[in-house]
Amino acid sequence: ILNVEQSPQSLHVQEGDSTNFTCSFPSSNFYALHWYRWETAKSPEALFVMTLNGDEKKKGRISATLNTKEGYSYLYIKGSQPEDSATYLCAFAGTGGTSYGKLTFGQGTILTVHP
Amino acid sequence: GAVVSQHPSRVICKSGTSVKIECRSLDFQATTMFWYRQFPKQSLMLMATSNEGSKATYEQGVEKDKFLINHASLTLSTLTVTSAHPEDSSFYICSARPGTNNSPLHFGNGTRLTVT
């Protein structure tokens, strides 16, 4: 069983604060690391797919980094807004055997941004 | 683009009945679709990979006869929970990817199943 852990489990910040959270995953047989945003009553929406060690990706105020050698990724949100409130999921895709390309999800970080 | 539609969004059924959940890719063809289940306060757990025109691949611990998957066309996969019991009550969500294994998943809105 692959271990994908996210921390913290939940986070409350004030509007305008910057925040970040962590996804840790196996450091072997790495294929890709995905980040998704899941708002209440909606479907999860892809933020990033990261494949290379040292990758940094950015989408507006949200960015992510990737370290495949040590098995972690950080997601950063700059100047949080109430509409950023959501559950942020990371998912690991490995290369091992029948697991190729399949995603193993973390439990998510629930972000609440207070006005 | 890349919209996935899942139906129904919510279903309540009696113990012993079967429930069918549909997952459609609306604007792309999906040879593979993925069915996940989420228990309260837990992560999305992959149940099975649905393959168009062939048998689904089930994850360890998932009963094939309990969760029947059919992927008869490039835009439709169905999950049937057979002889449902209260312990099958859960959130089921499907996904598909329009490109390669490196492209992101596109998800349906999920189905909340309650078995009474």
Side-chain angles (χ1 to χ4, degrees):
Chain A
I1 296 176
L2 297 173
N3 205 23
V4 180
E5 304 257 348
Q6 289 187 248
S7 63
Q9 284 190 346
S10 64
L11 195 53
H12 290 257
V13 301
Q14 290 297 129
E15 183 175 355
D17 287 351
S18 292
T19 186
N20 66 84
F21 18 95
T22 308
C23 173
S24 62
F25 52 85
S27 54
S28 58
N29 298 324
F30 177 86
Y31 185 69
L33 193 282
H34 293 221
W35 281 100
Y36 293 86
R37 174 171 58 202
W38 194 358
E39 296 178 69
T40 303
K42 295 186 178 180
S43 55
E45 172 198 355
L47 290 173
F48 306 114
V49 177
M50 308 177 81
T51 57
L52 299 174
N53 183 43
D55 235 357
E56 288 190 31
K57 298 224 171 182
K58 189 173 180 184
K59 189 175 182 177
R61 293 178 292 98
I62 304 176
S63 60
T65 61
L66 179 68
N67 183 324
T68 61
K69 294 187 189 304
E70 294 179 44
Y72 64 83
S73 175
Y74 293 134
L75 190 80
Y76 301 91
I77 303 179
K78 189 176 177 183
S80 303
Q81 299 296 308
E83 57 265 31
D84 296 329
S85 298
T87 298
Y88 290 83
L89 298 170
C90 70
F92 168 84
T95 59
T98 55
S99 299
Y100 191 87
K102 290 184 191 175
L103 295 185
T104 300
F105 282 83
Q107 285 185 302
T109 292
I110 302 170
L111 174 67
T112 305
V113 183
H114 298 278
Chain B
V3 177
V4 175
S5 172
Q6 184 173 343
H7 180 81
S9 58
R10 192 176 292 270
V11 58
I12 300 172
C13 70
K14 290 191 175 175
S15 191
T17 61
S18 295
V19 173
K20 182 187 281 189
I21 303 170
E22 290 188 349
C23 181
R24 293 181 187 273
S25 55
L26 296 187
D27 51 2
F28 66 98
Q29 293 184 331
T31 54
T32 303
M33 290 186 177
F34 303 93
W35 287 95
Y36 289 86
R37 179 176 182 175
Q38 185 182 38
F39 291 102
K41 300 192 187 239
Q42 295 192 24
S43 59
L44 294 174
M45 298 293 295
L46 181 64
M47 297 175 65
T49 303
S50 169
N51 304 298
E52 188 267 335
S54 64
K55 289 183 181 178
T57 307
Y58 289 82
E59 295 302 300
Q60 196 171 9
V62 177
E63 297 175 59
K64 301 178 187 186
D65 297 331
K66 176 72 165 172
F67 299 101
L68 297 179
I69 290 174
N70 185 280
H71 194 152
S73 78
L74 286 170
T75 58
L76 174 64
S77 175
T78 60
L79 168 69
T80 301
V81 183
T82 62
S83 187
H85 290 284
E87 57 265 29
D88 299 324
S89 298
S90 192
F91 182 77
Y92 297 86
I93 190 167
C94 70
S95 66
R97 45 162 64 106
T100 65
N101 276 342
N102 267 346
S103 58
L105 291 180
H106 293 265
F107 287 85
N109 277 347
T111 298
R112 173 72 59 191
L113 170 64
T114 304
V115 185
T116 60

